[in-house]
């Protein structure tokens, strides 16, 4: 039973008491606050908001509430129905709308849902705007418009087909080259909207598609986070079918992971690495990922003359900001999130698939052979549970000063880059924990680096 209010939206479990869960009352409150923000930004003029949702079980219920509240708040609505997160973002851009709401709890289990809030560029609200929505949601001093000013639904359309067309029209996507290869691809879309769009995209690219969990029923066939432990089924099917590769997406299709022809994971961290490798071959420029992502992206970027890598704080908004600041040509997050600004500034699994398959079509090698062309890193993800009275900031600043002779980045927690490995320590905003991410040249090395920092942190707060 949870309700998490943050600057990037509101997320919670369905049912139970208002303010403690994502109940209809909470949906209405937040949607009203969002409509107020967008109206204020447009000095009260008539606004248009795009609404899309993933296939989770509560999606249609929440969609009705969001749509009704927007209309009652005086906003016109373009409802794209069952749509991915990147598709809804593209619908905002394409229709020149004033904003958008995506109804999805991303990789969270079936009882969760959330509202992700977009600006007029189809990007997530920034920190300041997110805070304004939070404040407005607590403010009941608001009059809804009267009968002459309520909104109307100006369009209901399926945007997925247009999104696919936009992806295929990208100059670096070579549809004919991919078609010639007639790839056999197994898709696991965990029974959400990816089950519609990914097979459709692959068929446009001339692939033979084997569908696994591609019915958008919202009954997730396994834990929806695309991590190896949740993906045993697709490995078996790839081997049995003799497929060239497997594709896994999360319920709102902004995360993408590949599985190799031998059934092993290409590893989520390497989705962005491979796509960036292809993009940099054709477009010299900079790359960006977040501090917790693999060093492999920085290594690959260094292979291209005049190209440089920069790290952003964790969170898509931060990555996008850094990409704009550094004029990056490709970026994203190690969790399988590919952001290709040529189309839009949002993590987009469809873009990732189309760029990757174009690259792969031009290579005469298998997925596992391709994987060997990249530096091999192993990540270990740990956390320390603390008690609320422990001053986490003090611990982090102590670590920072102890390692001041090393390469330290403190834009988001403390990241220390050693010669052959790194550690990233971050505090959680919602729980008394420190997350400890490490990456090294072997799993043993990554684990022992994590252990070393866990005991160092324990020494500091027990001292
Ligand atoms: Mg997602």
């Amino acid at each position: 039973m949870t309700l998490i209010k943050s600057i990037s939206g509101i997320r919670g479990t369905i049912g139970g008491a208002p303010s403690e869960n994502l109940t209809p009352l909470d949906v209405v409150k937040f949607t009203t606050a969002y409509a107020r923000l967008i109206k204020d930004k447009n000095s009260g003029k008539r606004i248009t908001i795009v609404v899309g949702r993933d296939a989770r079980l509560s999606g249609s219920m929440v969609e009705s509430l969001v749509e009704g509240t927007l209309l009652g708040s005086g906003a016109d609505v373009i409802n794209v129905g069952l749509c991915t997160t990147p598709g809804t973002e593209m619908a905002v851009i394409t229709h020149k709308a004033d904003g958008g709401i995506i109804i999805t709890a991303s990789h969270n289990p079936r009882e969760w849902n959330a509202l992700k809030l977009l600006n007029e560029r189809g990007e997530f609200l920034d920190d300041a705007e997110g805070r304004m929505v939070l404040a407005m949601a607590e403010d009941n001093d608001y009059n809804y418009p009267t009968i002459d000013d309520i909104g109307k639904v100006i369009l209901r359309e399926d945007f997925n087909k247009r999104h696919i067309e936009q992806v295929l029209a990208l100059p670096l996507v070579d549809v004919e080259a991919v078609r010639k290869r007639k790839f056999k691809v197994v898709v696991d879309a965990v029974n959400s909207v990816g089950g519609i769009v990914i097979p459709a995209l692959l068929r446009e690219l001339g692939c033979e598609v084997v569908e696994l969990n591609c019915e958008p029923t919202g009954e997730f066939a396994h834990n929806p986070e695309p991590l190896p432990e949740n993906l045993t089924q697709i490995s078996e099917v790839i081997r049995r079918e003799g497929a060239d590769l497997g594709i896994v997406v999360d319920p709102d299709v902004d995360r993408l992971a590949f599985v190799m022809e031998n059934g092993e994971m290409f590893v989520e961290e390497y989705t962005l690495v491979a796509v960036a490798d292809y993009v940099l071959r054709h477009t010299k420029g900079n790359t960006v990922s977040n501090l917790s992502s693999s060093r492999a992206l920085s290594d690959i970027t260094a292979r291209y003359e005049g190209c440089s890598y920069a790290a952003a704080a964790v969170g898509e908004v931060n990555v996008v900001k850094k990409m704009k600041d550094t004029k990056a040509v490709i970026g994203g997050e190690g969790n399988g999130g590919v952001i290709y600004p040529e189309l839009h500034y949002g993590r987009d699994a469809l873009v990732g698939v189309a760029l990757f398959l174009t690259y792969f079509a031009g290579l005469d090698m298998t997925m596992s052979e391709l994987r060997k062309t990249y530096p091999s890193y192993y990540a270990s993800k740990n956390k320390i549970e603390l008690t609320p009275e422990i001053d986490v900031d003090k611990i982090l600043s102590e670590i920072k000063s102890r390692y001041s002779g090393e390469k330290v980045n403190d834009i988001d927690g403390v990241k220390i880059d050693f010669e052959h490995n790194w550690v990233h320590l971050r505090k959680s905003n919602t729980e008394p924990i420190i997350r400890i991410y490490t990456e090294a040249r072997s799993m043993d090395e990554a684990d022992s680096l994590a252990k070393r920092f866990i005991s160092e942190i324990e020494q500091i707060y027990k001292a």
Side-chain angles (χ1 to χ4, degrees), residues 123-137:
E123 298 163 17
F124 291 117
L125 296 188
D126 66 21
D127 199 78
E129 288 177 343
R131 277 175 213 285
M132 278 152 88
V133 173
L134 287 175
M136 282 176 176

Side-chain angles (χ1 to χ4, degrees), residues 28-47:
V28 169
K29 242 166 84 171
F30 263 79
T31 305
T32 301
Y34 171 74
R36 283 177 64 183
L37 172 87
I38 302 298
K39 277 178 115 173
D40 286 357
K41 269 176 80 172
N42 290 279
S43 38
K45 89 162 174 65
R46 190 83 171 194
I47 56 166

Side-chain angles (χ1 to χ4, degrees), residues 85 104-107 116 250-255 347:
T85 285
T104 173
S106 192
H107 58 274
K116 291 188 182 179
D250 74 334
D252 65 322
V253 200
D254 57 0
R255 287 173 64 176
R347 293 183 302 171

